[in-house]
């Protein structure tokens, strides 16, 4: 009954509709770090001018932390921009895109626009990337794309596998490592440090995920200058002054990454354990998202969850009964579990 439903669904107290929560976009509702918000407030009045010192401070802080020279970094409004630029630059009628299946599909949509064929390689049983098959897929590959940790599975590709890909990828192809979710994982090793010695390596990062800055738009590419120059031929957009200061403050906030990583890991592991106990298989995630086997159409599930004010992610072709769930705060995961119970019992809110 409705009354019984209200007892178990936190946020459904009384007649008032609960706040809608978004566990569908791999973003964090807690938003930017306090220190970032403070810097935005302080510098907003200076926004009558273009970013100068703010951009330089960000660049020098980032370059120092990454241990690569500034001319190995390009900054963009998000990492979707350089991802698009790279695919448009390095794939084409003679140069395919090789990716895992499933993975983040932006590149799947972009490559065909420039005549690039998309070659999808199924993931291994443990949800990791089959780097051997990916490297052997097409001698004319323009890009081999690895999302680490992967979206939507949350699974990681080991550094050993990425080193294998660097050594065995087709000659002349770019190995594109999308590290949008790297900060959430204890075991996924960044390969930014390999960029200065590998001209075909391109690493992308964003502030949209762990840093809680999706709405502020900030991301960057790390590659050797010749690669960046090719990608940036038509420009890549510019970043707001307030966004630069928020980025610098976030980078300087030493506790931000470990604290948020810990919070998300706890929410993820508890939720996955709870789902598995109920008999639902989940992907092996080290990120702020995972896929869960629900044994029914994910689109219908998504609609039913929304009636309880809980937005969950979509499913991927071939994985129609495996919706992607983003991991949020403790309260949000409690809302997810309560709504899940209702929806699996056939009740809508
Ligand atoms: N790469 C991956 C793997 C993503 O999941 C996303 C966003 O969801 C992006 C890149 C692009 O995000 P943004 O442009 O906000 O950095």
């Amino acid at each position: 009954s409705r009354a019984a439903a209200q007892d178990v669904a936190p946020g459904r107290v009384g007649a008032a509709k609960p706040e809608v929560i978004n566990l569908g976009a791999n973003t964090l509702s807690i938003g930017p770090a306090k220190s970032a918000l403070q810097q935005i407030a302080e510098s907003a009045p200076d926004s009558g001018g273009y970013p100068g010192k703010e951009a330089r401070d960000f660049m020098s802080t980032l370059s120092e932390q990454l241990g690569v020279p500034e001319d190995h970094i390009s900054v963009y409004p998000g990492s979707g921009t350089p991802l698009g630029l790279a695919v448009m630059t390095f794939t084409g009628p003679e140069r395919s895109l090789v990716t895992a299946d499933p993975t983040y599909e932006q590149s799947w949509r972009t490559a065909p626009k420039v005549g690039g064929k998309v070659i999808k390689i199924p993931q291994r049983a443990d949800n990791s990337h089959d780097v051997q098959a990916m490297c052997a897929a097409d001698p004319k590959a323009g890009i081999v794309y690895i999302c680490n940790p992967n979206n939507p599975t949350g699974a990681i590709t080991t550094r050993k596998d990425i080193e294998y890909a660097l050594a065995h990828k087709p000659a002349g192809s770019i190995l594109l490592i999308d590290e949008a979710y790297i900060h959430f994982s204890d075991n996924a090793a960044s390969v930014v440090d390999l960029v200065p010695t590998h001209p075909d390596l391109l690493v992308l990062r964003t502030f949209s995920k762990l840093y809680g800055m999706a709405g502020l738009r900030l991301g960057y590419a790390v590659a050797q200058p010749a690669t960046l120059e090719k990608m940036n031929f038509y420009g890549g957009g510019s970043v707001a002054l307030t966004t630069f200061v928020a980025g610098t403050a976030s980078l300087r906030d030493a506790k931000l990454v470990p604290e948020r990583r810990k919070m998300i890991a706890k929410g993820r592991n508890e939720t996955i354990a709870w789902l598995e106990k109920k008999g639902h298989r989940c992907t092996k995630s080290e990120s702020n998202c995972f896929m869960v086997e629900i044994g029914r159409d994910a689109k219908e599930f998504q609609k039913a969850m929304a009636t309880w004010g809980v937005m969950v992610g979509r499913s991927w072709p071939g994985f129609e009964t495996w919706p992607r769930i983003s991991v949020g705060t403790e309260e949000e995961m409690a809302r997810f579990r309560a709504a899940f119970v209702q929806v699996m019992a056939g009740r809508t809110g």
Side-chain angles (χ1 to χ4, degrees):
S1 77
R2 188 76 170 218
Q6 284 173 358
D7 290 338
V8 292
R12 286 221 141 239
V13 183
K17 276 260 176 204
E19 200 185 318
V20 173
I21 60 166
N22 186 0
L23 301 178
N26 292 352
T27 50
L28 294 195
S29 65
I30 51 177
K34 256 201 194 125
S35 54
L37 292 174
Q38 245 162 19
Q39 287 302 312
I40 291 173
E42 272 178 36
S43 65
D46 300 333
S47 298
Y50 291 107
K53 184 179 181 306
E54 297 82 4
R56 290 192 296 277
D57 282 353
F58 175 75
M59 206 34 150
S60 60
T61 308
L62 187 59
S63 159
E64 194 189 316
Q65 288 195 1
L66 296 178
V68 299
E70 290 188 18
D71 66 0
H72 284 48
I73 306 170
S74 278
V75 178
Y76 307 87
S79 64
T81 299
L83 179 52
L85 291 173
V87 175
M88 287 190 284
T89 306
F90 300 114
T91 73
E94 301 293 317
R95 297 172 302 169
S96 65
L97 168 79
V98 177
T99 88
D101 185 11
T103 195
Y104 185 57
E105 326 100 304
Q106 184 187 332
S107 59
W108 299 2
R109 291 191 295 266
T110 309
K113 290 182 185 166
V114 292
K117 196 170 128 191
V118 181
I119 301 177
K120 299 175 190 171
I121 305 295
Q123 63 190 2
R124 299 186 190 121
D126 66 354
N127 302 129
S128 65
H129 279 49
D130 189 343
V131 288
Q132 283 79 15
M134 289 178 81
C135 289
D138 181 7
K140 284 192 176 166
I143 289 183
V144 177
Y145 173 78
I146 294 178
C147 186
N148 188 35
N150 195 19
N151 176 10
T153 62
I156 67 162
T157 298
T158 61
R159 180 153 170 130
K160 201 172 144 230
D161 276 349
I162 295 177
E163 285 173 349
Y164 175 93
L166 262 180
H168 296 90
K169 68 178 183 59
S173 63
I174 294 283
L175 181 66
L176 200 175
I177 310 294
D178 186 337
E179 296 188 351
Y181 300 94
I182 196 89
H183 306 96
F184 289 111
S185 170
D186 288 320
N187 298 310
S190 171
V191 287
V192 161
D193 60 302
L194 298 177
V195 167
T197 50
H198 292 81
D200 294 335
L201 180 61
L202 168 61
V203 180
L204 303 182
R205 296 245 189 120
T206 183
F207 285 76
S208 296
K209 306 303 175 184
L210 180 134
Y211 291 97
M213 285 176 41
L216 286 162
R217 311 306 300 131
L218 184 60
Y220 57 94
V222 188
Q224 293 195 3
T227 304
L228 295 176
E229 204 177 308
K230 280 183 207 153
M231 279 169 60
N232 294 336
F233 187 75
Y234 291 110
S238 57
V239 169
L241 182 151
T242 42
T243 296
F244 274 124
V245 299
T248 307
S250 302
L251 290 174
R252 290 187 179 149
D253 193 330
K255 286 190 187 151
L256 190 64
V257 175
E259 281 181 2
R260 290 187 170 190
R261 176 187 295 175
K262 204 170 147 200
M263 177 195 84
I264 293 296
K266 187 167 180 280
R268 177 191 65 229
N269 296 339
E270 284 174 3
T271 308
I272 288 179
W274 182 85
L275 287 163
E276 285 180 342
K277 218 169 138 194
K278 290 185 169 303
H280 298 287
R281 284 182 294 154
C282 297
T283 53
K284 202 167 168 275
S285 172
E286 295 204 19
S287 185
N288 69 331
C289 67
F290 61 89
M291 291 162 97
V292 54
E293 159 66 68
I294 54 168
R296 63 159 92 174
D297 183 53
K299 277 201 191 104
E300 295 304 317
F301 171 78
Q302 195 180 33
K303 274 190 214 149
M305 288 293 281
T307 69
W308 295 98
V310 179
M311 288 160 68
V312 296
R314 63 190 183 284
S315 62
W316 264 246
F319 300 85
E320 282 79 8
T321 58
W322 290 77
R324 185 192 69 188
I325 313 298
S326 302
V327 181
T329 61
E330 205 172 333
E331 295 87 60
E332 286 171 335
M333 297 328 283
R335 284 275 306 274
F336 167 81
R337 290 192 293 270
F340 187 90
V341 169
Q342 299 299 337
V343 167
M344 294 313 270
R347 287 190 288 266
T348 49

